[in-house]
Amino acid sequence: MENIYLYMIIALALLAIADLVVGVSNDAVNFLNSAIGSKAISFKTIMIVASVGVAVGAVFSSGMMEVARKGIFNPGEFMFDEIMIIFMAVMITDILLLDFFNSVGMPTSTTVSIVFELLGAAVAMALIKIGADGGSFSDVVNYINTSKASQIIFGILLSVVVAFSIGAFVQWVSRLLLSYNFEKKASWVGALFGGLALTAITYFIFMKGLKGTSYAKESFNILGGETMKDFLEHQVLSIVLVSSVFWSLLSYVLISFFKTNIYKLIIIVGTFALALAFAGNDLVNFIGVPIAAYNAYEAWSASFLSTGTLATEFSMEILAEKVPTNNWLLLGAGMVMVLTLWFSSKAKDVVKTSLDLASQGETKERFQPNFMSRGFVRSAMLMSQMSAYMLPKSWQDKIEKQFEAPTVKVSKNKAKDLPAFDLVRAAVNLMVAAVLISIATSYKLPLSTTYVTFMVAMGTSLADRAWGAESAVYRVAGVLNVIGGWFFTAFSAFTAAALVAYLLNLNIKVMFPILLLAAIGLLIRSTVAHNNKSKEVAAEDSLKKTGSSSVQGVILESASNIANVVKRGNRIYSNAVKGLAKQDLTLLKKNKKQVSKLAAEVDELRDNIFYFIKNLDETSLRASSFYINILGYLQDMTQSLEYISKVSHKHINNNHKKLKFSQIKELKEVDEALETLFNDTKAAFDSHSFEQIGEIITRKKEVFALVTDKIAKQVARTRTEESSPKNTTLYFSLLLETKDLLTATMNLLEEYYNSHDASVEPATINVIDETIEHGGSSNNDKK
């Protein structure tokens, strides 16, 4: 029995490494967001600065390890075997929970997850002990530090409201004073802003980044015998005033004499500061539990060897004592964090979510609006209208002028290289987050760095008018999704850890290897699924936006999209027929997902029409007309494919009668004809041999005649032998929709054939009417 605890310690050590990886993947957004979003410095420089901050913070994190040992529960109330169950339950749950959030690209709080996992597992073990002793439910308070949990919940609510509000206010004032032409302002303006920002950030480095270290708790004669921690807390005003003067003067010298961009300097220092604080304070979330378990094991094994004390009899009061953590262990953990920072693709996904929600420009909106986001936006618009009535018109005009963002005309291919926001907003993000976290630390409020940094970024986005009429409902919905995920973290962490602790307690020898293997299996599956998803996103068969301004350029750039849609459409149609023939529900379900993805990509191209036209030369009306027509036909094709896929899946999913052999045979004949047509079309567009399109168009009547013949045969069958209304409806629906699919495809081919030669002049009349006629279709009613 004693060996099982040694195996658990080894497992906890391995889980600690895995937890470091998933934890850093989640929390990297805290300190990378502003620097990456503003593109103030190169990505390589950002990573080097953040890596140094993480490494330094990890070495300084020793004093924070006590949170996992005695911060949530009273260790003296538990025996060694019970403590090991609690710690194992916490680590298994933490890895799976954080990995889930990383996989969906959502930032959450590692602090909240570890606290509520410890709470959930400890409550489960406490209730088991109380039940065995015949106690009452109220006895749980003897085992649990209930005030800590309530503090954490209060911290969530406080950070959401306060961080968002103050971030919005400071950004609004900063933009009002600096505008978007901040680099042209007088040197003293930048120096003053730099002084305030650098004061906030450097104070934050000492207050939050180093407060938990052993150095902060030593007395220094230079500080009047006070510890650094006490000095920072007691002399706040003096430190802030002296620092502000020093940093403002230094900023002025750097700007005036060395031509330094003070905003970039703020972003570099701020990134280092938040990375330092993250590692210094959040490392406990990843390795605190395994270290506490190792300390407990050492104490018990020593007692077992000397006195033979059993695991069920050895009290864990020793965990209430202070035990220093090995600096080499902390350095090793820091190196794992740094490597994760460089190589984790999931970390990049989490950062991308935050940047998309804060972006000043156009992005692909990930979240769908809901009634709450619509309600918030309507309320904000109403408040904006009310303020417009209250302020004089002259004031409003001056404010509007300060918030006028410069227009940058770039090709669509280069738009992705633009920063998500400018240097002022990035600096404000870092400065406000540093101030709020420093204040919370001085008052011993357990605020989460994730919550504060994210909500500050969202507040500054709102104040900077990044959430305009085109994007507000989507961005607000995204913020609400993230906030909802935070509360889900607390609930799921508590519940899952309690369940795992209960299962381990049933039979630790059996459940420990089962649950451990299950956790590893789920982690591997999640990683493989994420890698596959990343490959799909980067695959060649995703549609690409065109950036050309001439007809010939649009023709050439759109050719790959046409070939792509034709190839995928061919596969979707064939799978629908195959799924009906074999009554394969799994294949039809997968087919629905594929066609939905294709339709979404085509919709995204149509959503891009505004930016495409804005980027055209004044003489390129024909190019825009051609492009709009092409997108209209592509949408008609995808809507037909969606309908075919939907009705096929619905028929099999509802367990209706299988199509007759003759019907399946005829559908396969149509499928073979379509396959030949689509393959020839794909080959023509892949090779840009647009002359071949004429040969394909000549077969138009032949293919239509085949489908019409199948419809006539089904009419005859229905009058004589067909007995299933559902089969008849499905078969007619498939054939009629196939005709619509062919019509859209042929219209597309004719448009290309008529436009590919530069010598062919466009029609001189009714360009707009033609665009509307070709772009619209009855297919719009099919969704």
Side-chain angles (χ1 to χ4, degrees):
M1 180 65 183
E2 286 71 22
N3 289 335
I4 190 70
Y5 298 114
L6 177 60
Y7 298 145
M8 290 177 77
I9 291 296
I10 296 171
L12 284 169
L14 297 175
L15 290 174
I17 297 173
D19 207 28
L20 278 169
V21 173
V22 296
V24 174
S25 297
N26 178 84
D27 279 7
V29 67
N30 296 349
F31 48 88
L32 294 180
N33 180 38
S34 295
I36 293 177
S38 64
K39 298 196 173 180
I41 49 180
S42 69
F43 182 75
K44 186 177 180 180
T45 305
I46 293 170
M47 296 299 286
I48 291 172
V49 171
S51 298
V52 173
V54 166
V56 174
V59 174
F60 286 161
S61 66
S62 176
M64 297 299 291
M65 292 299 161
E66 296 173 20
V67 174
R69 300 157 55 85
K70 59 181 181 180
I72 308 303
F73 55 83
N74 301 318
E77 299 292 332
F78 295 96
M79 300 301 162
F80 172 68
D81 62 324
E82 296 162 345
I83 282 288
M84 290 300 290
I85 288 174
I86 291 173
F87 287 156
M88 181 58 67
V90 167
M91 291 303 292
I92 289 175
T93 305
D94 197 54
I95 288 174
L96 296 179
L97 185 65
L98 293 181
D99 186 67
F100 166 76
F101 275 94
N102 294 342
S103 298
V104 298
M106 299 274 278
T108 191
S109 171
T110 52
T111 303
V112 169
S113 64
I114 201 76
V115 165
F116 278 89
E117 284 152 5
L118 283 165
L119 189 62
V123 166
M125 287 307 303
L127 291 176
I128 291 170
K129 286 172 67 71
I130 290 169
D133 297 339
S136 65
F137 183 79
S138 59
D139 294 336
V140 170
V141 295
N142 298 326
Y143 296 85
I144 307 300
N145 189 346
T146 53
S147 62
K148 190 69 174 182
S150 58
Q151 277 188 327
I152 291 291
I153 296 171
F154 175 72
I156 295 175
L157 298 172
L158 191 67
S159 58
V160 168
V161 178
V162 174
F164 184 86
S165 303
I166 295 181
F169 176 74
V170 174
Q171 177 61 33
W172 189 83
V173 172
S174 299
R175 186 65 70 195
L176 189 63
L177 296 175
L178 298 172
S179 78
Y180 280 93
N181 296 316
F182 55 91
E183 292 178 338
K184 297 179 181 178
K185 296 288 183 181
S187 297
W188 69 267
V189 176
L192 186 60
F193 183 86
L196 292 174
L198 290 172
T199 296
I201 292 169
T202 51
Y203 184 77
F204 167 78
I205 290 176
F206 288 103
M207 192 67 239
K208 180 68 176 172
L210 306 180
K211 81 175 183 68
T213 69
S214 56
Y215 306 104
K217 295 175 183 178
E218 291 181 7
S219 299
F220 294 92
N221 291 330
I222 194 173
L223 302 179
E226 280 191 305
T227 64
M228 183 189 295
K229 181 173 178 292
D230 292 336
F231 181 79
L232 289 170
E233 290 179 352
H234 297 158
Q235 305 295 330
V236 175
L237 187 59
S238 302
I239 294 172
V240 168
L241 289 175
V242 172
S243 297
S244 298
V245 173
F246 171 77
W247 286 118
S248 296
L249 291 173
L250 181 61
S251 298
Y252 186 79
V253 171
L254 291 173
I255 295 170
S256 301
F257 300 103
F258 296 95
K259 305 303 179 185
T260 302
N261 188 323
I262 196 65
Y263 300 97
K264 289 186 178 182
L265 179 62
I266 293 168
I267 291 167
I268 292 172
V269 177
T271 299
F272 171 81
L274 285 178
L276 172 77
F278 154 71
N281 291 270
D282 288 1
L283 184 60
V284 63
N285 301 340
F286 316 130
I287 67 170
V289 167
I291 288 175
Y294 179 70
N295 292 337
Y297 177 77
E298 274 190 321
W300 169 75
S301 58
S303 178
F304 177 77
L305 291 174
S306 61
T307 63
T309 307
L310 298 177
T312 55
E313 299 172 352
F314 188 72
S315 175
M316 283 286 96
E317 292 176 355
I318 191 170
L319 289 183
E321 300 174 6
K322 292 185 179 181
V323 180
T325 307
N326 188 298
N327 285 332
W328 288 107
L329 182 63
L330 295 175
L331 182 61
M335 291 303 101
V336 173
M337 296 166 83
V338 169
L339 290 173
T340 302
L341 202 60
W342 281 87
F343 298 109
S344 173
S345 61
K346 290 184 178 180
K348 296 179 178 66
D349 286 349
V350 179
V351 172
K352 186 177 184 302
T353 297
S354 184
L355 290 181
D356 285 348
L357 291 174
S359 176
Q360 192 77 32
E362 177 222 359
T363 62
K364 182 179 179 181
E365 304 295 350
R366 281 188 49 189
F367 301 94
Q368 292 302 311
N370 51 53
F371 75 96
M372 289 184 68
S373 69
R374 295 187 186 101
F376 277 121
V377 171
R378 289 193 186 102
S379 301
M381 291 174 68
L382 185 62
M383 291 172 64
S384 177
Q385 291 171 1
M386 290 173 61
S387 64
Y389 288 123
M390 295 169 62
L391 291 175
K393 184 71 168 59
S394 58
W395 289 23
Q396 292 180 41
D397 293 340
K398 288 180 180 178
I399 292 172
E400 287 297 322
K401 189 174 181 181
Q402 293 298 91
F403 280 84
E404 281 182 6
T407 55
V408 182
K409 188 174 181 180
V410 292
S411 68
K412 206 60 200 167
N413 296 330
K414 293 183 179 179
K416 62 184 179 182
D417 297 326
L418 289 175
F421 40 80
D422 69 354
L423 301 181
V424 169
R425 179 141 50 110
V428 170
N429 284 343
L430 294 165
M431 174 177 64
V432 174
V435 169
L436 291 178
I437 297 171
S438 298
I439 292 172
T441 301
S442 65
Y443 284 101
K444 298 181 173 59
L445 291 175
L447 287 189
S448 164
T449 53
T450 302
Y451 294 170
V452 171
T453 52
F454 180 82
M455 291 311 298
V456 166
M458 295 304 101
T460 58
S461 304
L462 174 67
D464 227 13
R465 303 186 180 181
W467 298 355
E470 304 288 336
S471 61
V473 289
Y474 305 100
R475 304 284 177 89
V476 174
V479 174
L480 293 175
N481 271 275
V482 172
I483 293 173
W486 296 346
F487 288 95
F488 172 76
T489 299
F491 174 78
S492 54
F494 182 93
T495 307
L499 177 61
V500 174
Y502 170 75
L503 293 174
L504 286 170
N505 185 71
L506 290 177
N507 189 327
I508 194 168
K509 282 189 174 181
V510 175
M511 296 309 299
F512 162 58
I514 291 175
L515 290 172
L516 185 62
L517 289 174
I520 294 172
L522 289 171
L523 200 61
I524 292 172
R525 180 186 175 189
S526 168
T527 303
V528 171
H530 181 269
N531 290 338
N532 291 339
K533 184 179 178 182
S534 299
K535 289 176 183 176
E536 285 179 15
V537 171
E540 292 181 355
D541 65 350
S542 56
L543 303 185
K544 299 176 179 63
K545 297 174 184 176
T546 183
S548 183
S549 60
S550 67
V551 175
Q552 294 306 307
V554 174
I555 286 174
L556 293 175
E557 289 185 17
S558 298
S560 61
N561 283 345
I562 306 299
N564 190 330
V565 172
V566 167
K567 179 185 75 173
R568 292 159 72 179
N570 187 14
R571 183 170 64 241
I572 288 164
Y573 191 92
S574 296
N575 285 342
V577 174
K578 190 183 298 181
L580 284 170
K582 297 182 178 181
Q583 291 188 295
D584 189 340
L585 186 61
T586 303
L587 178 60
L588 292 173
K589 186 176 180 181
K590 184 179 179 182
N591 211 37
K592 275 186 67 179
K593 290 182 180 179
Q594 289 177 342
V595 74
S596 294
K597 182 176 182 292
L598 176 60
E601 290 179 27
V602 173
D603 286 343
E604 187 179 349
L605 290 182
R606 292 205 75 167
D607 291 342
N608 185 58
I609 285 176
F610 171 82
Y611 303 97
F612 167 74
I613 294 175
K614 292 284 280 187
N615 196 49
L616 288 174
D617 297 333
E618 292 182 5
T619 58
S620 300
L621 177 61
R622 186 181 169 211
S624 62
S625 176
F626 172 79
Y627 188 59
I628 292 169
N629 290 344
I630 291 302
L631 291 182
Y633 296 136
L634 287 179
Q635 190 171 52
D636 290 346
M637 291 173 67
T638 56
Q639 286 176 349
S640 292
L641 290 167
E642 271 191 302
Y643 185 80
I644 290 169
S645 178
K646 182 183 74 174
V647 296
S648 302
H649 176 268
K650 181 181 177 182
H651 188 85
I652 301 301
N653 196 35
N654 289 339
N655 300 307
H656 294 316
K657 287 178 65 176
K658 184 179 180 181
L659 291 178
K660 291 187 174 182
F661 176 77
S662 57
Q663 292 173 320
I664 294 294
K665 183 181 178 183
E666 289 172 6
L667 281 177
K668 286 187 175 180
E669 289 176 17
V670 174
D671 181 34
E672 288 172 3
L674 278 178
E675 187 168 3
T676 302
L677 174 72
F678 284 156
N679 284 339
D680 291 346
T681 302
K682 179 180 180 300
F685 281 100
D686 277 338
S687 61
H688 293 176
S689 304
F690 300 125
E691 298 81 3
Q692 297 177 14
I693 294 175
E695 299 174 15
I696 300 171
I697 293 173
T698 59
R699 289 154 33 199
K700 175 179 178 179
K701 291 183 179 179
E702 178 186 337
V703 183
F704 272 99
L706 176 66
V707 179
T708 304
D709 178 60
K710 304 307 178 189
I711 293 174
K713 287 184 177 179
Q714 178 61 26
V715 170
R717 275 196 299 267
T718 303
R719 293 173 62 85
T720 58
E721 59 187 72
E722 185 64 73
S723 60
S724 172
K726 295 293 184 186
N727 277 16
T728 302
T729 301
L730 172 67
Y731 195 68
F732 278 131
S733 297
L734 292 174
L735 292 177
L736 291 172
E737 204 61 46
T738 300
K739 287 187 74 173
D740 283 354
L741 175 62
L742 283 168
T743 300
T745 304
M746 289 301 173
N747 287 342
L748 176 69
L749 294 177
E750 289 170 358
E751 183 78 31
Y752 253 89
Y753 186 66
N754 294 333
S755 302
H756 82 275
D757 192 342
S759 64
V760 178
E761 289 298 324
T764 57
I765 59 172
N766 296 333
V767 175
I768 302 300
D769 291 340
E770 181 186 325
T771 299
I772 295 172
E773 178 187 342
H774 286 274
S777 169
S778 61
N779 280 346
N780 290 331
D781 299 327
K782 288 168 188 163
K783 277 196 173 184

